[in-house]
Amino acid sequence: MTSARSITRVLANKYSPSGAPSLDNFKVMSAPAPTKDSLKENQVLVRSLYLSVDPYQRGRLIGTTNSYVPRYELNKPISNHGVAVVEASASADVAEGDIVYIRGAPWETKSVVDVAAVRKLPTGTIDNARDFVTVFGMPSFTAFVGLTTIGKPKAGETILVSSASGAVGQIVVQLAKARGLRVVGVAGSEDKIELVKSIGADTAFNYKTSDNFVASIKQAAPEGIDIYFDNVGGEFLDAALANINTGARIVSCGMISQYNAKSADEAYGLKNTFNILTKTATFQGILVGKYYGTPTEDEFMAEVGKLYKEGKLQYRIDETTGLENAPQAILNLFDGKNFGKSVVKV
Amino acid sequence: MTSARSITRVLANKYSPSGAPSLDNFKVMSAPAPTKDSLKENQVLVRSLYLSVDPYQRGRLIGTTNSYVPRYELNKPISNHGVAVVEASASADVAEGDIVYIRGAPWETKSVVDVAAVRKLPTGTIDNARDFVTVFGMPSFTAFVGLTTIGKPKAGETILVSSASGAVGQIVVQLAKARGLRVVGVAGSEDKIELVKSIGADTAFNYKTSDNFVASIKQAAPEGIDIYFDNVGGEFLDAALANINTGARIVSCGMISQYNAKSADEAYGLKNTFNILTKTATFQGILVGKYYGTPTEDEFMAEVGKLYKEGKLQYRIDETTGLENAPQAILNLFDGKNFGKSVVKV
């Protein structure tokens, strides 16, 4: 429990490089609350409001060392994108009461962070603070970057989106629809399929009730796939490759079906990569990080902001209350128990 | 045998969509020679000099229907890029004695072709007519297009090239070296390895004597692979994926190891595509056709022409004499029996 004098922290407890993440990877503990007296120059004391929970954290948790993001340091707080309120500031840039966006926000109810890591959000943001880790958050930006820089969508084309009710997929579905594509969504429950259709997919199917992914995709998109936005990898990706058109783009954003493979040997072997060659297709991994602070971010805020303001963009959120429940919220991502963008209300 | 009154033709005899190509796919026959009297307007009568023999012809031969190139028509001549001399012309654009390059040259000792399919080569070309289906041929252009448009090479990077002694590989090795990359070549015999080193690869190894592709690549390129120019697919591609650096580009130019798989089920399953995601890599198939007649072709002729003229570009050629031996020359490509760019001297 957290009182005025104590805080809750979620630390990296141990790695499990050859195994799936579990509650053992985390240590939830309480600690004395940091005070404004301890602030050094250019530091701020913040109280966490919302923290983003995202699949990419898996590698950092289990201790992967060959990824573009470093693993979490043991006995240090887990971190991720978050929104917080400033309680005290030793910087001229932000003041008490400001709402800030934090890249690499520590999973603590209160933290001392460098001002360099925070970005002040518009005044009055308190009512929609959550938007900055949801509809305007990193997964949404990832959707935008992947769709525009790799997918290069053209009106009239067909896009297939897996995990279409997820944090990234929901945005891909709606942006693609707004740009005039035919959208085929895939998800893992009837509730999710209903959501995917309600936000604009032309058709959607439940992969869990399909006994033949290749045939299910062909049925949903007899005209073939021009863009596949892949959040799952493995067998479904292979089936998508069997259905691509000449010049197709495969946006590799996640491979959640493969995250818990213990080794390359256990990974699903893709059989249909021959089509990358014969269909002169492109299969590319997204790196969203390098687009922050570029014109692409402004385009994202403009396009998504406009649709959202006009009520034309919906975003299903799976909110967990209490920082102490954040570890389970991460684990839920890997067996599809979340429904929509996962976020923790601290 | 061919006399003044008869010609040799190589026709498509039958398809074998579920099997490897064999001599059964071809029918070698003689036929009456076409005469200049039979020419219609804008047709030319040509005598074939050299015909290119390339792996991509496999799909056309066995009757693949889902590729970007159509299958050969049964009982019509096989065709491919070729160089010929004009014997008679019913076009103002070319004259008797001109040396011409033909896209889709019929595999006949003499043919009637539309003038639209021919491009007149510079006067005096007779002495180096072969160059236009070898060092300046389609595989060389493919090497250039793949390296520059997908590989995007930067000096100091490391490139891995499979089939490095082949029609495409030899050019990739030399262009990459000329652009300041570290070049690692791979081929299937000691003779080929020697050639690959002699044309400038920093190191090269024989995959047939490797018992662990991942380890062999790592040993040859401990710094990791920035560009993999893939001509083989399958297990070697998988091993290359295990060795890529962040931001790597995989140029998919051929998958000769997989061409004889009877179905997707028999295809090698790629296990390491997870690295496409985590290394934010690009894996893209080349389509050379769309670059003909663009500035990229001029850049190719300038860069390759300059190196060749200065004696800085070597090109090993595997020449077969006699059109009747062309079917076996194709088949040799699929078990590595050729050494260098395969061409038929008609």
Side-chain angles (χ1 to χ4, degrees), chain A residues 72-99:
Chain A
Y72 290 123
E73 272 187 77
L74 294 182
N75 298 312
K76 300 273 169 115
I78 306 295
S79 61
N80 200 11
H81 307 263
V83 175
V85 58
V86 174
E87 294 207 328
S89 174
S91 159
D93 296 341
V94 292
E96 190 184 329
D98 283 348
I99 306 295

PDB file of all heavy atoms in Angstrom, chain A residues 72-99:
ATOM      1  N   TYR A  72      15.826  -4.642 -19.092  1.00  0.00           N
ATOM      2  CA  TYR A  72      15.697  -3.875 -17.852  1.00  0.00           C
ATOM      3  C   TYR A  72      16.843  -4.232 -16.925  1.00  0.00           C
ATOM      4  O   TYR A  72      17.262  -5.389 -16.857  1.00  0.00           O
ATOM      5  CB  TYR A  72      14.357  -4.172 -17.168  1.00  0.00           C
ATOM      6  CG  TYR A  72      13.159  -3.605 -17.906  1.00  0.00           C
ATOM      7  CD1 TYR A  72      12.123  -4.427 -18.331  1.00  0.00           C
ATOM      8  CD2 TYR A  72      13.076  -2.241 -18.174  1.00  0.00           C
ATOM      9  CE1 TYR A  72      11.020  -3.899 -19.009  1.00  0.00           C
ATOM     10  CE2 TYR A  72      11.985  -1.716 -18.858  1.00  0.00           C
ATOM     11  CZ  TYR A  72      10.968  -2.549 -19.267  1.00  0.00           C
ATOM     12  OH  TYR A  72       9.885  -2.018 -19.943  1.00  0.00           O
ATOM     13  N   GLU A  73      17.325  -3.241 -16.189  1.00  0.00           N
ATOM     14  CA  GLU A  73      18.361  -3.541 -15.192  1.00  0.00           C
ATOM     15  C   GLU A  73      17.719  -4.198 -13.982  1.00  0.00           C
ATOM     16  O   GLU A  73      16.694  -3.726 -13.478  1.00  0.00           O
ATOM     17  CB  GLU A  73      19.032  -2.238 -14.737  1.00  0.00           C
ATOM     18  CG  GLU A  73      20.195  -1.827 -15.590  1.00  0.00           C
ATOM     19  CD  GLU A  73      20.906  -0.618 -14.979  1.00  0.00           C
ATOM     20  OE1 GLU A  73      21.653  -0.805 -14.006  1.00  0.00           O
ATOM     21  OE2 GLU A  73      20.680   0.496 -15.479  1.00  0.00           O
ATOM     22  N   LEU A  74      18.345  -5.253 -13.506  1.00  0.00           N
ATOM     23  CA  LEU A  74      17.798  -5.952 -12.333  1.00  0.00           C
ATOM     24  C   LEU A  74      17.808  -5.020 -11.116  1.00  0.00           C
ATOM     25  O   LEU A  74      18.722  -4.218 -10.932  1.00  0.00           O
ATOM     26  CB  LEU A  74      18.609  -7.225 -12.044  1.00  0.00           C
ATOM     27  CG  LEU A  74      18.520  -8.313 -13.124  1.00  0.00           C
ATOM     28  CD1 LEU A  74      19.310  -9.553 -12.720  1.00  0.00           C
ATOM     29  CD2 LEU A  74      17.060  -8.686 -13.417  1.00  0.00           C
ATOM     30  N   ASN A  75      16.747  -5.154 -10.326  1.00  0.00           N
ATOM     31  CA  ASN A  75      16.581  -4.354  -9.104  1.00  0.00           C
ATOM     32  C   ASN A  75      16.397  -2.863  -9.364  1.00  0.00           C
ATOM     33  O   ASN A  75      16.516  -2.058  -8.432  1.00  0.00           O
ATOM     34  CB  ASN A  75      17.736  -4.606  -8.119  1.00  0.00           C
ATOM     35  CG  ASN A  75      17.773  -6.058  -7.686  1.00  0.00           C
ATOM     36  OD1 ASN A  75      16.736  -6.607  -7.312  1.00  0.00           O
ATOM     37  ND2 ASN A  75      18.937  -6.689  -7.800  1.00  0.00           N
ATOM     38  N   LYS A  76      16.131  -2.526 -10.624  1.00  0.00           N
ATOM     39  CA  LYS A  76      15.729  -1.157 -10.959  1.00  0.00           C
ATOM     40  C   LYS A  76      14.289  -1.231 -11.446  1.00  0.00           C
ATOM     41  O   LYS A  76      13.822  -2.300 -11.878  1.00  0.00           O
ATOM     42  CB  LYS A  76      16.608  -0.589 -12.081  1.00  0.00           C
ATOM     43  CG  LYS A  76      18.081  -0.517 -11.742  1.00  0.00           C
ATOM     44  CD  LYS A  76      18.411   0.793 -11.039  1.00  0.00           C
ATOM     45  CE  LYS A  76      19.805   0.773 -10.455  1.00  0.00           C
ATOM     46  NZ  LYS A  76      20.709   1.729 -11.063  1.00  0.00           N
ATOM     47  N   PRO A  77      13.578  -0.090 -11.404  1.00  0.00           N
ATOM     48  CA  PRO A  77      12.178  -0.143 -11.839  1.00  0.00           C
ATOM     49  C   PRO A  77      12.044  -0.494 -13.326  1.00  0.00           C
ATOM     50  O   PRO A  77      12.840  -0.053 -14.154  1.00  0.00           O
ATOM     51  CB  PRO A  77      11.669   1.286 -11.600  1.00  0.00           C
ATOM     52  CG  PRO A  77      12.638   1.906 -10.658  1.00  0.00           C
ATOM     53  CD  PRO A  77      13.963   1.240 -10.915  1.00  0.00           C
ATOM     54  N   ILE A  78      11.016  -1.311 -13.624  1.00  0.00           N
ATOM     55  CA  ILE A  78      10.510  -1.448 -14.985  1.00  0.00           C
ATOM     56  C   ILE A  78      10.181  -0.036 -15.462  1.00  0.00           C
ATOM     57  O   ILE A  78       9.844   0.828 -14.646  1.00  0.00           O
ATOM     58  CB  ILE A  78       9.196  -2.287 -14.967  1.00  0.00           C
ATOM     59  CG1 ILE A  78       9.388  -3.624 -14.266  1.00  0.00           C
ATOM     60  CG2 ILE A  78       8.613  -2.441 -16.348  1.00  0.00           C
ATOM     61  CD1 ILE A  78      10.326  -4.562 -14.949  1.00  0.00           C
ATOM     62  N   SER A  79      10.257   0.204 -16.758  1.00  0.00           N
ATOM     63  CA  SER A  79       9.880   1.534 -17.246  1.00  0.00           C
ATOM     64  C   SER A  79       9.175   1.409 -18.583  1.00  0.00           C
ATOM     65  O   SER A  79       9.306   0.398 -19.278  1.00  0.00           O
ATOM     66  CB  SER A  79      11.121   2.424 -17.366  1.00  0.00           C
ATOM     67  OG  SER A  79      12.024   1.858 -18.300  1.00  0.00           O
ATOM     68  N   ASN A  80       8.417   2.431 -18.906  1.00  0.00           N
ATOM     69  CA  ASN A  80       7.737   2.503 -20.201  1.00  0.00           C
ATOM     70  C   ASN A  80       7.127   3.902 -20.320  1.00  0.00           C
ATOM     71  O   ASN A  80       7.213   4.702 -19.385  1.00  0.00           O
ATOM     72  CB  ASN A  80       6.664   1.409 -20.303  1.00  0.00           C
ATOM     73  CG  ASN A  80       6.255   1.113 -21.748  1.00  0.00           C
ATOM     74  OD1 ASN A  80       6.905   1.564 -22.690  1.00  0.00           O
ATOM     75  ND2 ASN A  80       5.177   0.373 -21.925  1.00  0.00           N
ATOM     76  N   HIS A  81       6.513   4.169 -21.445  1.00  0.00           N
ATOM     77  CA  HIS A  81       5.887   5.469 -21.643  1.00  0.00           C
ATOM     78  C   HIS A  81       4.813   5.709 -20.571  1.00  0.00           C
ATOM     79  O   HIS A  81       4.074   4.791 -20.218  1.00  0.00           O
ATOM     80  CB  HIS A  81       5.236   5.534 -23.026  1.00  0.00           C
ATOM     81  CG  HIS A  81       6.193   5.175 -24.118  1.00  0.00           C
ATOM     82  ND1 HIS A  81       6.877   6.115 -24.837  1.00  0.00           N
ATOM     83  CD2 HIS A  81       6.611   3.978 -24.586  1.00  0.00           C
ATOM     84  CE1 HIS A  81       7.663   5.508 -25.717  1.00  0.00           C
ATOM     85  NE2 HIS A  81       7.520   4.212 -25.585  1.00  0.00           N
ATOM     86  N   GLY A  82       4.724   6.939 -20.079  1.00  0.00           N
ATOM     87  CA  GLY A  82       3.736   7.225 -19.057  1.00  0.00           C
ATOM     88  C   GLY A  82       3.347   8.700 -19.028  1.00  0.00           C
ATOM     89  O   GLY A  82       3.981   9.548 -19.665  1.00  0.00           O
ATOM     90  N   VAL A  83       2.281   8.968 -18.291  1.00  0.00           N
ATOM     91  CA  VAL A  83       1.836  10.349 -18.081  1.00  0.00           C
ATOM     92  C   VAL A  83       1.800  10.586 -16.573  1.00  0.00           C
ATOM     93  O   VAL A  83       1.367   9.710 -15.812  1.00  0.00           O
ATOM     94  CB  VAL A  83       0.439  10.589 -18.692  1.00  0.00           C
ATOM     95  CG1 VAL A  83      -0.055  11.998 -18.368  1.00  0.00           C
ATOM     96  CG2 VAL A  83       0.488  10.386 -20.209  1.00  0.00           C
ATOM     97  N   ALA A  84       2.279  11.757 -16.164  1.00  0.00           N
ATOM     98  CA  ALA A  84       2.388  12.036 -14.728  1.00  0.00           C
ATOM     99  C   ALA A  84       2.080  13.500 -14.471  1.00  0.00           C
ATOM    100  O   ALA A  84       2.036  14.322 -15.394  1.00  0.00           O
ATOM    101  CB  ALA A  84       3.795  11.695 -14.245  1.00  0.00           C
ATOM    102  N   VAL A  85       1.891  13.817 -13.192  1.00  0.00           N
ATOM    103  CA  VAL A  85       1.700  15.207 -12.796  1.00  0.00           C
ATOM    104  C   VAL A  85       2.928  15.625 -11.976  1.00  0.00           C
ATOM    105  O   VAL A  85       3.442  14.847 -11.157  1.00  0.00           O
ATOM    106  CB  VAL A  85       0.365  15.396 -12.020  1.00  0.00           C
ATOM    107  CG1 VAL A  85       0.310  14.507 -10.788  1.00  0.00           C
ATOM    108  CG2 VAL A  85       0.151  16.854 -11.634  1.00  0.00           C
ATOM    109  N   VAL A  86       3.379  16.833 -12.227  1.00  0.00           N
ATOM    110  CA  VAL A  86       4.581  17.316 -11.549  1.00  0.00           C
ATOM    111  C   VAL A  86       4.215  17.800 -10.146  1.00  0.00           C
ATOM    112  O   VAL A  86       3.311  18.631  -9.991  1.00  0.00           O
ATOM    113  CB  VAL A  86       5.236  18.454 -12.361  1.00  0.00           C
ATOM    114  CG1 VAL A  86       6.409  19.056 -11.589  1.00  0.00           C
ATOM    115  CG2 VAL A  86       5.684  17.934 -13.725  1.00  0.00           C
ATOM    116  N   GLU A  87       4.900  17.260  -9.134  1.00  0.00           N
ATOM    117  CA  GLU A  87       4.643  17.680  -7.742  1.00  0.00           C
ATOM    118  C   GLU A  87       5.660  18.706  -7.274  1.00  0.00           C
ATOM    119  O   GLU A  87       5.379  19.500  -6.379  1.00  0.00           O
ATOM    120  CB  GLU A  87       4.643  16.467  -6.824  1.00  0.00           C
ATOM    121  CG  GLU A  87       3.478  15.523  -7.113  1.00  0.00           C
ATOM    122  CD  GLU A  87       3.053  14.712  -5.891  1.00  0.00           C
ATOM    123  OE1 GLU A  87       3.927  14.406  -5.059  1.00  0.00           O
ATOM    124  OE2 GLU A  87       1.853  14.414  -5.787  1.00  0.00           O
ATOM    125  N   ALA A  88       6.855  18.640  -7.865  1.00  0.00           N
ATOM    126  CA  ALA A  88       7.887  19.631  -7.520  1.00  0.00           C
ATOM    127  C   ALA A  88       8.891  19.632  -8.658  1.00  0.00           C
ATOM    128  O   ALA A  88       9.099  18.613  -9.317  1.00  0.00           O
ATOM    129  CB  ALA A  88       8.571  19.272  -6.202  1.00  0.00           C
ATOM    130  N   SER A  89       9.499  20.788  -8.900  1.00  0.00           N
ATOM    131  CA  SER A  89      10.401  20.897 -10.047  1.00  0.00           C
ATOM    132  C   SER A  89      11.665  21.664  -9.683  1.00  0.00           C
ATOM    133  O   SER A  89      11.600  22.694  -8.999  1.00  0.00           O
ATOM    134  CB  SER A  89       9.683  21.601 -11.208  1.00  0.00           C
ATOM    135  OG  SER A  89      10.588  21.843 -12.267  1.00  0.00           O
ATOM    136  N   ALA A  90      12.807  21.152 -10.135  1.00  0.00           N
ATOM    137  CA  ALA A  90      14.067  21.893 -10.017  1.00  0.00           C
ATOM    138  C   ALA A  90      14.530  22.254 -11.431  1.00  0.00           C
ATOM    139  O   ALA A  90      15.716  22.212 -11.754  1.00  0.00           O
ATOM    140  CB  ALA A  90      15.112  21.062  -9.287  1.00  0.00           C
ATOM    141  N   SER A  91      13.553  22.553 -12.288  1.00  0.00           N
ATOM    142  CA  SER A  91      13.839  22.934 -13.671  1.00  0.00           C
ATOM    143  C   SER A  91      12.963  24.125 -14.031  1.00  0.00           C
ATOM    144  O   SER A  91      11.822  24.227 -13.572  1.00  0.00           O
ATOM    145  CB  SER A  91      13.521  21.761 -14.604  1.00  0.00           C
ATOM    146  OG  SER A  91      13.312  22.232 -15.923  1.00  0.00           O
ATOM    147  N   ALA A  92      13.498  24.983 -14.874  1.00  0.00           N
ATOM    148  CA  ALA A  92      12.713  26.136 -15.318  1.00  0.00           C
ATOM    149  C   ALA A  92      11.674  25.732 -16.354  1.00  0.00           C
ATOM    150  O   ALA A  92      10.761  26.488 -16.671  1.00  0.00           O
ATOM    151  CB  ALA A  92      13.648  27.198 -15.888  1.00  0.00           C
ATOM    152  N   ASP A  93      11.812  24.517 -16.904  1.00  0.00           N
ATOM    153  CA  ASP A  93      10.957  24.109 -18.022  1.00  0.00           C
ATOM    154  C   ASP A  93       9.571  23.632 -17.616  1.00  0.00           C
ATOM    155  O   ASP A  93       8.622  23.729 -18.396  1.00  0.00           O
ATOM    156  CB  ASP A  93      11.649  22.995 -18.824  1.00  0.00           C
ATOM    157  CG  ASP A  93      12.933  23.483 -19.483  1.00  0.00           C
ATOM    158  OD1 ASP A  93      13.092  24.709 -19.626  1.00  0.00           O
ATOM    159  OD2 ASP A  93      13.778  22.636 -19.837  1.00  0.00           O
ATOM    160  N   VAL A  94       9.474  23.058 -16.432  1.00  0.00           N
ATOM    161  CA  VAL A  94       8.161  22.588 -15.979  1.00  0.00           C
ATOM    162  C   VAL A  94       7.921  23.053 -14.540  1.00  0.00           C
ATOM    163  O   VAL A  94       8.870  23.310 -13.797  1.00  0.00           O
ATOM    164  CB  VAL A  94       8.035  21.034 -16.050  1.00  0.00           C
ATOM    165  CG1 VAL A  94       8.028  20.551 -17.488  1.00  0.00           C
ATOM    166  CG2 VAL A  94       9.123  20.352 -15.251  1.00  0.00           C
ATOM    167  N   ALA A  95       6.651  23.128 -14.215  1.00  0.00           N
ATOM    168  CA  ALA A  95       6.291  23.651 -12.892  1.00  0.00           C
ATOM    169  C   ALA A  95       5.325  22.699 -12.194  1.00  0.00           C
ATOM    170  O   ALA A  95       4.712  21.838 -12.834  1.00  0.00           O
ATOM    171  CB  ALA A  95       5.642  25.027 -13.051  1.00  0.00           C
ATOM    172  N   GLU A  96       5.197  22.849 -10.909  1.00  0.00           N
ATOM    173  CA  GLU A  96       4.249  22.060 -10.117  1.00  0.00           C
ATOM    174  C   GLU A  96       2.873  22.132 -10.778  1.00  0.00           C
ATOM    175  O   GLU A  96       2.445  23.213 -11.197  1.00  0.00           O
ATOM    176  CB  GLU A  96       4.190  22.620  -8.690  1.00  0.00           C
ATOM    177  CG  GLU A  96       3.426  21.716  -7.738  1.00  0.00           C
ATOM    178  CD  GLU A  96       3.307  22.352  -6.328  1.00  0.00           C
ATOM    179  OE1 GLU A  96       4.226  23.092  -5.947  1.00  0.00           O
ATOM    180  OE2 GLU A  96       2.299  22.068  -5.669  1.00  0.00           O
ATOM    181  N   GLY A  97       2.237  20.992 -10.901  1.00  0.00           N
ATOM    182  CA  GLY A  97       0.901  20.952 -11.489  1.00  0.00           C
ATOM    183  C   GLY A  97       0.888  20.647 -12.976  1.00  0.00           C
ATOM    184  O   GLY A  97      -0.151  20.283 -13.527  1.00  0.00           O
ATOM    185  N   ASP A  98       2.026  20.785 -13.636  1.00  0.00           N
ATOM    186  CA  ASP A  98       2.063  20.458 -15.069  1.00  0.00           C
ATOM    187  C   ASP A  98       1.813  18.961 -15.287  1.00  0.00           C
ATOM    188  O   ASP A  98       2.248  18.129 -14.484  1.00  0.00           O
ATOM    189  CB  ASP A  98       3.441  20.785 -15.677  1.00  0.00           C
ATOM    190  CG  ASP A  98       3.623  22.283 -15.936  1.00  0.00           C
ATOM    191  OD1 ASP A  98       2.624  23.021 -15.859  1.00  0.00           O
ATOM    192  OD2 ASP A  98       4.780  22.694 -16.199  1.00  0.00           O
ATOM    193  N   ILE A  99       1.136  18.671 -16.383  1.00  0.00           N
ATOM    194  CA  ILE A  99       0.972  17.278 -16.803  1.00  0.00           C
ATOM    195  C   ILE A  99       2.066  17.002 -17.844  1.00  0.00           C
ATOM    196  O   ILE A  99       2.232  17.781 -18.786  1.00  0.00           O
ATOM    197  CB  ILE A  99      -0.414  17.023 -17.428  1.00  0.00           C
ATOM    198  CG1 ILE A  99      -1.527  17.484 -16.477  1.00  0.00           C
ATOM    199  CG2 ILE A  99      -0.585  15.543 -17.795  1.00  0.00           C
ATOM    200  CD1 ILE A  99      -1.594  16.708 -15.185  1.00  0.00           C
TER     201      ILE A  99
END
